[in-house]
């Protein structure tokens, strides 16, 4: 690349002057947050960094030292951190890139500084390795991040500056950094409450990942600017007048959504281009003393709703109950002039500061003094640390869980004793049980909320008081992993599960030994490895437990060669290679086939010429996802997509599958059934039948109920018109006291 060299930049005197200027700006940003010792240490860090980086330049040609100073300035000016963080910002790349060691830093400063710089060094080591095991790296990264919030904050500042100055990098490097930013740093910034930085990171990422679309949107925004400004002014005018009249000290302005959020709306939500450009947010920032904040915001709220009609469902009150990342404001959407919806955000100056700089800065790093009171971010980090301590969890799960946590917000619920617990939004009864105590989670069968019994999977709501119900015979099973959302519950279930798998594996080992003896082979490591490999299992415990549970039948064992007690599977595997597809692969293939296939069999249509019948193995009812299977003698048989036989049919005879569609005639009823679990309650069967036959007018074929240890399990078979009727019924049955879970039967009725 031939670049023009700016000689002025390379004049040592000019450069030194520029560096000093940057340093003075950093110092100025800290003004009344720095004392004499702080000043001395900052100067020390500055000199140390200048000296250490003196021989390196960035890709753009400027001296490297400009980067750490810029990072320190972002920490101070945009995140609101104090002198320790500024020192760490200055030093953040020294250990990684220069002769300076962590010990040097600890000796010159203290353990706090060396700890943070150490964390930052570890991270850059992780990020820079161009390893293919990306996920593994993210795991390490997350573990390091959870050590000290300041490590996260400085890392975000570092990333922000790198994103701002990526112009001269190679496109592939730009794309890599940008996608990492979008994947991890932007959500992280959002979770910590750094809204302005989050938006900038997203916009910059888009600029490098989708340069064409980014430019298009930016251009379009520019083109429509004048029009927008006119509209904003029109909208603002009456509000401005009233606010001034009433003596408010305020600032009001309007702006379009960020480029990234516009792109996201067009790209992911399918909102048309023009409509997105209509989206506006008006922000009103009030300057009032803290004790008058709430009153003032609500006053302004009523002034706005006097001028414009509010859309009722779009009031967001984060003043009475701030978001867990600290965000406070009132948001309302109103109908502006010319019938356009406009979002109005009302906040005070203090709230705006928190929104822009993040609550981490405000809550406990102002002046670098940690506040002993726990706060949402602290609690969040604590929760992450607990999760990370169980490092056995596979990395992909861990990263996914973490991502989930980033987007989750908290709700608050109460124990029967009135203790307040914070849970991620979307948590279920089971999550809550595990949150209180692992033992409680393992035995949980449901809960009581507002005198009503609710199942394990019930999503808990903000403010509920929850009493967990337990059963002595209850134990965790694999399905529970689909019910829970918190890392703590997942980990506990997996742990409980592992213990059970070990138990099962013991029995599995006995079974396997017996079966091996029958073919004159021995139970030894070599044979075990061969079998694990053959059955595509990952480890001996799951393999042996599946043997015990008969999930692996070992029927192939007899077909395997045995030489001197050692099993050989090569021949058998070759024979089997003609049918290598897994169940889910087959289903996927058939779904694709169904999509492209244009011949549709419409069931229930009058005068349909094709003979068809409903398969009795899965009993589909109108509304189910189904496929047709051409039989030899009985025309087309209709199966449910999740029919137990489907996989077999699809794999062997996929060419015989036809697309089908329901045409409800509501004349015939269909046999279906479900399993119902609950807590034993006298008269429950009675109540159930009453709902089924009286309220829903559905014919029952049979009901059988078994009860043990206070828990009952019933099988109900009945005739319904379609899936809608069945779903409605199930919904109503679930409302019954005592009913915990209802599951449609997949098997033959
Ligand atoms: Mn850096």
């Amino acid at each position: 690349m031939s670049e023009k060299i700016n000689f002025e930049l390379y004049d040592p005197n000019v450069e030194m002057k520029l560096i000093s200027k940057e340093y003075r700006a950093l110092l100025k940003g800290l003004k009344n947050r720095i004392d004499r010792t702080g000043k001395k240490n900052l100067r020390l860090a500055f000199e140390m960094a200048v000296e250490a980086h003196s021989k390196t330049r960035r890709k753009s040609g400027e001296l490297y030292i400009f980067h750490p100073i810029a990072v320190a300035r972002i920490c101070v000016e945009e995140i609101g951190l104090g002198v320790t963080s500024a020192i760490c910002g200055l030093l953040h790349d020294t250990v990684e890139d220069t002769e300076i060691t962590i010990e040097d830093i600890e000796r010159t400063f203290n353990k706090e500084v060396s700890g943070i710089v150490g964390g930052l060094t570890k991270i850059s080591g992780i990020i820079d390795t161009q390893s293919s095991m990306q996920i593994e790296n993210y795991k390490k990264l997350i573990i390091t991040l959870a050590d000290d919030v300041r490590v996260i904050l400085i890392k975000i500042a570092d990333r922000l500056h790198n994103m701002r100055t990526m112009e001269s990098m190679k496109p592939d490097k730009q794309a890599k950094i940008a996608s990492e930013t979008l994947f991890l740093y932007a959500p992280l910034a959002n979770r910590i409450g750094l809204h302005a930085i989050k938006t900038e990171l997203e916009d910059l990422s888009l600029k490098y990942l989708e340069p064409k679309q980014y430019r298009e949107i930016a251009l379009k925004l520019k083109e429509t600017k004048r029009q927008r400004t006119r509209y904003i002014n029109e909208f603002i005018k009456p509000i401005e007048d009233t606010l001034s009249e009433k003596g408010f000290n305020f600032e009001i302005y309007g702006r379009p959504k960020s480029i990234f959020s516009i792109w996201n709306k067009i790209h992911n939500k399918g909102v048309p281009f023009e409509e997105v450009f209509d989206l506006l947010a008006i922000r009103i920032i009030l300057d009032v003393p803290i004790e008058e904040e709430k009153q003032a915001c609500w006053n302004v709220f009523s002034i706005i709703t006097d001028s414009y009609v509010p859309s009722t469902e779009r009031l967001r009150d984060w003043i009475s109950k701030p978001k867990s990342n600290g965000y406070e404001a009132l948001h309302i959407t109103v109908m502006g002039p010319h019938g356009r919806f406009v979002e109005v955000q009302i906040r005070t100056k203090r709230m705006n500061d928190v929104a822009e700089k993040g609550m981490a800065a405000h809550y406990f790093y102002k002046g670098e003094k940690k506040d002993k009171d726990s706060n949402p971010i602290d609690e969040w980090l604590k929760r992450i640390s607990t999760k990370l301590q169980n490092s056995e969890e596979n990395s992909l799960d861990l990263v996914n869980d973490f991502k989930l946590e980033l987007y989750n917000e908290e709700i608050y619920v109460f124990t029967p004793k009135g203790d307040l617990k914070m849970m991620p939004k979307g948590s279920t009864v089971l999550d809550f049980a595990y949150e209180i105590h692992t033992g409680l989670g393992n035995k949980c069968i449901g809960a009581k909320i507002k005198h009503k019994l609710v199942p394990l999977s019930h999503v808990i709501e903000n403010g509920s008081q929850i009493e967990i119900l337990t059963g002595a015979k209850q134990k965790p099973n694999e399905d529970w992993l689909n019910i829970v959302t918190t890392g703590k519950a997942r980990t506990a279930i997996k742990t409980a599960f592992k213990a059970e798998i070990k138990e099962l594996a013991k029995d599995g080992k006995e079974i396997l030994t017996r079966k091996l003896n029958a073919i004159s082979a021995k139970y030894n490591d070599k044979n075990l490895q061969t079998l694990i490999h053959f059955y595509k299992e990952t480890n001996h415990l799951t393999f042996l437990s599946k043997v015990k549970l008969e999930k692996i039948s070992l029927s192939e064992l007899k077909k395997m060669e045995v030489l001197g007690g050692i099993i050989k599977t090569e021949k058998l595997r070759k024979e089997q290679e003609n049918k290598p597809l897994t169940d889910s692969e087959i289903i996927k293939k058939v779904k694709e086939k169904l999509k492209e296939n244009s011949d549709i069999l419409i069931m229930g249509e009058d005068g349909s010429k094709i003979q068809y019948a409903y398969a009795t193995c899965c009993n589909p009812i109108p509304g189910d996802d189904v496929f047709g299977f051409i039989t030899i003698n009985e025309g087309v048989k209709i199966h449910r997509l999740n029919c137990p036989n489907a996989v077999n049919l699809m794999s062997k005879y996929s060419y015989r599958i036809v697309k089908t569609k329901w045409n409800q005639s509501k004349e015939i009823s269909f046999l279906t059934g479900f399993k119902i679990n609950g807590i034993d309650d006298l008269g429950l069967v009675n109540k159930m039948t009453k709902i089924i036959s009286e309220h829903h007018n559905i014919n029952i074929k049979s009901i059988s109920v078994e009860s043990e240890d206070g828990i009952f399990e019933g099988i109900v078979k009945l005739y319904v018109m379609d899936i809608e009727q069945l779903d409605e019924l199930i919904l109503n049955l679930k409302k019954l006291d005592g009913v915990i879970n209802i599951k449609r039967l997949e098997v033959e009725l």
Side-chain angles (χ1 to χ4, degrees), residues 58 64 67-68 71 89 92-93 97 124 155 158-159 161-162:
R58 304 184 83 202
Y64 195 85
H67 167 65
V71 171
H92 82 270
D93 278 331
D97 299 340
S124 63
K155 188 63 211 172
D158 181 26
R159 178 52 58 117
H161 186 248
N162 285 334

Side-chain angles (χ1 to χ4, degrees), residues 452-453 674 676 684 687-698 724-740 742:
K452 262 187 72 76
L453 291 162
F674 54 79
I676 180 163
L684 186 64
K687 283 181 216 159
M688 249 163 52
T689 48
K690 215 169 183 169
I691 289 187
I692 299 172
S693 50
E694 282 178 26
H695 297 182
H696 286 263
N697 206 9
I698 293 173
E724 232 174 276
Q725 196 184 22
L726 180 65
D727 285 347
E728 212 175 292
L729 172 69
I730 288 178
L731 205 74
N732 281 328
L733 286 174
K734 276 188 174 167
K735 287 183 192 154
L736 275 179
D737 267 4
V739 171
I740 282 181
I742 299 179

Side-chain angles (χ1 to χ4, degrees), residues 362-365 368-375 378:
H362 271 256
Y363 226 121
F364 52 131
Y365 287 112
E368 303 283 326
K369 269 260 181 290
K370 264 202 195 186
D371 198 325
K372 281 282 178 305
D373 290 343
S374 75
N375 68 62
D378 238 5

